Structures are given as C-alpha cells and as structure tokens.
C-alpha cells in the first residue's frame, strides 16, 4: 500500500547529500511507463523543482504509441524530451524505461546535432560512481561492483579512492550479491542503464539514479561546471 511507497521515497531521498546546489531545470519522460508519480514525489521531497514532463509519454500506455520501442537507448526514443528541453532551456533530461528500473540522461552539448547528448550507460555509471566516491564518507569495507560487459573505468575510480571493487556476471542478481561478509555495498552498475546506489533497493533502480543525477548537475552548476566538464576530468 502507500506505506511502501512512503518508505521507498524516504529511503532514496536519504541517499542525497545535504550540500546546496544551484536550481535545476529538468525534463522527464516515463516513456509511457509507471515512473512519473513516484519520481514527482521524490523530487518534491528532495527539494528539486518539478521536472518538465513529456506529456505525450507521462501516462502508462501498453501500446507505447510515440516510440518504435520503449527503450531509452533506442534511436528516436528521446526526441520528444529533447524538443521540450530545447523549449524550456533545461539543464538535464531524465528518462526512465517503462518499469522505471533503468535510467538514461542527456545533457546540453552544442557540438552535436540538436544540441543534446545522451550519455552511454558506462559514462553515466562513471559519473554516478565518481560523485559518490567524492562526496560520501568511505569505510574500510566499502565495495563497488560492475559486470563483465561494463567499462573497467569503475575499477580505476575505485582504486584512486581506495575502495574495493568486484566484477561479476551479467545481471543485477549477481551485482547485489557481490559483497562478502564485512563489506558494504556502495554502488553497482551495468552498462545497459542499470544502477544501484547504496543498499536500500537490492536491484537496479531508475528513480534513485535520477535523483543522484539531478544532485550531480546542481552541484556542478553551482561551481560553473557541466557534466561534460566532469566527464573530461574523469577521463
């Protein structure tokens, strides 16, 4: 019932840092899925401005009438979101897949056609991991996890931060089971847009990842930096 939703919202908002960031203008698409209502509640609880929603895609619709295939990685799936982002001058585009367990983001980039660049799953994984390792307290038992099909950049970030890392087979059932006794799961990801932050949700979760992506953009914006600046620094 609603108590479960309330517990979820509280747990994922608690993942955010209390540091002040700049105001955020974002665009969100649920791709005809079920994520919008819960994402709205999380953004409100976290103090972010409500995202501009792609109204044609915000309500669940099993026919997925505006996209050839309801996957944010598919060419054309984010076209409506990009159009709205250009219209409102957004800082960030957020897209869940229909069951909201995956997240894609896009950021302004004047060098590409249309002015918006969608990040790969590996790029977003590095961005999220870098932010967590930069800003959260670390302990001796912390571990980050990725899969055999994903970038090894996560391991370089973990080594630089003095955090353990593990590589597992494809699938989040392996990612969340990776920590050994005495280890604390900090972050795990797979290149197909799946991210798990902390341990409150023992699976990939596109809404908590969206909140952390929003936090990253606000923190960088307050410093006069962009996501692309940070990705260059990570590289």
């Amino acid at each position: 019932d609603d108590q479960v939703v309330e517990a979820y919202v509280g747990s994922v908002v608690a993942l955010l840092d209390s540091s002040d960031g700049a105001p955020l203008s974002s665009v969100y698409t649920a791709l005809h899925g079920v994520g919008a209502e819960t994402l709205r509640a999380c953004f409100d609880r976290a103090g972010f401005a409500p995202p501009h929603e792609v109204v044609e895609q915000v309500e669940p619709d099993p026919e997925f009438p505006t996209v050839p295939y309801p996957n944010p990685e598919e060419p054309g799936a984010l076209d409506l979101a990009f159009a709205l982002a250009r219209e409102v001058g957004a800082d960030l585009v957020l897209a869940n897949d229909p069951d909201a367990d995956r997240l894609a983001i896009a950021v302004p980039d004047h060098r590409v056609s249309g002015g918006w660049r969608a990040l790969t799953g590996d790029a977003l994984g590095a961005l999220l991991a870098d932010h967590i390792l930069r800003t959260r307290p670390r302990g001796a038992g912390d571990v980050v996890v990725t899969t055999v099909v994903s970038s090894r950049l996560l391991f370089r970030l973990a080594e630089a931060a003095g955090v353990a890392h593990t590589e597992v087979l494809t699938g989040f059932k392996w990612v969340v089971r990776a920590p050994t006794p005495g280890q604390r799961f900090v972050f795990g990801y797979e290149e197909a847009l799946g991210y798990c932050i902390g341990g409150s949700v023992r699976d990939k979760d596109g809404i908590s990842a969206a909140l952390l992506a929003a936090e990253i953009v606000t923190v960088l914006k307050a410093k006069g930096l962009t996501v692309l600046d940070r990705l260059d620094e990570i590289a």
Side-chain angles (χ1 to χ4, degrees), residues 121-205:
D122 281 322
L124 180 53
L127 188 73
L128 294 171
D130 172 76
H131 183 70
I132 291 168
L133 294 172
R134 283 175 185 264
T135 62
R136 276 37 172 188
R138 297 196 293 271
D142 288 354
V143 61
V144 297
V145 185
T146 191
T147 65
V148 295
V149 297
S150 305
S151 171
R152 295 182 62 81
L153 179 56
L154 179 63
F155 294 170
R156 301 295 296 273
L157 291 168
E159 289 169 353
V163 171
H165 54 77
T166 299
E167 184 177 72
V168 297
L169 296 175
T170 304
F172 259 77
K173 64 182 179 180
W174 306 118
V175 171
V176 298
R177 294 173 184 171
T180 59
Q183 288 186 324
R184 182 176 73 102
F185 184 96
V186 174
F187 175 73
Y189 96 95
E190 193 163 56
E191 53 80 33
L193 304 182
Y195 310 96
C196 182
I197 300 158
S200 59
V201 177
R202 301 281 292 171
D203 203 345
K204 58 185 179 291
D205 176 24

Side-chain angles (χ1 to χ4, degrees), residues 13-71:
V13 170
L15 297 170
L16 300 182
D17 187 68
S18 60
S19 301
D20 292 333
L24 176 71
S25 174
S26 62
V27 163
Y28 173 71
T29 176
L31 284 185
H32 302 292
V34 298
E37 184 175 354
T38 305
L39 184 129
R40 286 184 206 119
C42 289
F43 264 54
D44 180 66
R45 183 76 61 85
F48 294 127
H52 301 274
E53 296 176 349
V54 179
V55 294
E56 300 93 332
Q57 298 174 333
V58 75
E59 294 297 331
D61 187 336
E63 300 300 323
F64 308 113
T66 68
V67 291
Y69 188 74
N71 178 347

